[in-house]
Amino acid sequence: MGRLIQSDIRHISDAANNADSFRVLRGRVSVLKIAPDARFMPYLELAGFGSALIRSSDLRFDLLSALVERWRPETHTFHFLCGECTVTLEGVAVQLGLPIDGSPVTGVYSFTDPVAVCYQLLGESPEDGDKYFFGIKFTWLKAKICGLSATATEGELMCAARAYIMHMIGAVLMPDANGDSVHLSYLPLLADFSTARSYSWGSAVLATLYRELCRATEPQVKDIGGCLILLQS
């Protein structure tokens, strides 16, 4: 194990030993505190997100910061006095209910006509005046979800389901540390709900969390992203 630990990289545990104060990381989780409309629940189930409905969060950033001090980027494990442990795919499947088998979550990162993509899959576009945008704000997605009429058509229900999943991805499952929006690249993966279920969303959530844990071990970093609800539990 001694050969695996690199002494030449900067790690927050080294800084913490020489500092007078304890670093508490910041994070951002924007949980939808409303239950999804029962009318589009079948689409969430079909896409594989029916069990990942998190409507509350009580994050302890002092606890999360202490965990980061024990995280080693070389092994992707927490090093405790009692041994090593880590967050596993099994934990993602059991606690979030996301698919952990299937195709990798990947796709187009930039779009020549993002407005057309939004109109096709969400029924409208949040940035009609801007031809080039790459993120959808959580406030817009929430308004889209809550604004569903009592006489909504099947197409409108499908658009609301996609908005709900996009909010879930960007705000809870794979958020960045400071953002208030979700990247548009996930939206085309939700075009067909049956195909969406074939992606290993659980693997993407775990990979994002690992990446954020590694980034947060750098002493100068002040915030952390990823699925912090999963990490704390």
Side-chain angles (χ1 to χ4, degrees):
M1 181 59 67
R3 292 193 300 270
L4 292 175
I5 304 303
Q6 301 176 24
S7 59
D8 59 335
I9 64 171
R10 299 183 66 201
H11 195 284
I12 184 58
S13 60
D14 301 322
N17 291 333
N18 300 319
D20 296 328
S21 59
F22 174 66
R23 180 195 70 168
V24 178
L25 293 163
R26 299 186 301 261
R28 188 184 185 101
V29 176
S30 180
V31 176
L32 273 176
K33 297 182 179 180
I34 55 172
D37 194 304
R39 292 174 295 170
F40 64 69
M41 268 301 297
Y43 299 113
L44 299 184
E45 295 281 357
L46 186 60
F49 288 86
S51 300
L53 304 179
I54 301 171
R55 292 194 293 273
S56 64
S57 64
D58 184 16
L59 293 175
R60 290 276 309 277
F61 284 99
D62 53 346
L63 172 61
L64 296 174
S65 301
L67 281 172
V68 169
E69 290 188 4
R70 294 287 185 172
W71 179 260
R72 296 306 308 189
E74 303 90 341
T75 58
H76 285 170
T77 55
F78 298 102
H79 286 209
F80 297 113
L81 293 177
C82 58
E84 294 179 71
C85 69
T86 192
V87 187
T88 65
L89 271 179
E90 182 182 15
V92 176
V94 170
Q95 298 197 44
L96 299 180
L98 292 171
I100 59 173
D101 296 313
S103 304
V105 177
T106 184
V108 179
Y109 192 77
S110 60
F111 300 86
T112 55
D113 194 353
V115 172
V117 174
C118 288
Y119 267 103
Q120 179 186 357
L121 299 176
L122 295 175
E124 55 186 312
S125 174
E127 303 286 351
D128 283 332
D130 187 359
K131 292 184 178 179
Y132 303 104
F133 63 94
F134 303 104
I136 305 176
K137 291 188 179 298
F138 299 143
T139 51
W140 187 91
L141 290 170
K142 185 177 181 179
K144 175 74 176 176
I145 297 163
C146 297
L148 199 60
S149 68
T151 58
T153 64
E154 182 179 7
E156 290 171 334
L157 291 174
M158 294 172 72
C159 290
R162 293 190 188 99
Y164 195 96
I165 295 172
M166 286 290 285
H167 190 287
M168 195 185 309
I169 291 172
V172 179
L173 299 177
M174 292 184 280
D176 58 27
N178 299 306
D180 58 354
S181 61
V182 57
H183 200 279
L184 195 61
S185 59
Y186 298 110
L187 186 56
L189 304 181
L190 305 174
D192 182 271
F193 292 110
S194 298
T195 303
R197 192 184 187 89
S198 69
Y199 291 102
S200 181
W201 293 101
S203 300
V205 169
L206 188 61
T208 302
L209 180 59
Y210 278 16
R211 181 182 63 194
E212 286 296 313
L213 280 167
C214 292
R215 187 182 66 84
T217 61
E218 299 175 11
Q220 74 277 10
V221 172
K222 304 298 183 183
D223 45 41
I224 184 172
C227 191
L228 301 180
I229 294 173
L230 172 67
L231 175 60
Q232 179 166 293
S233 64

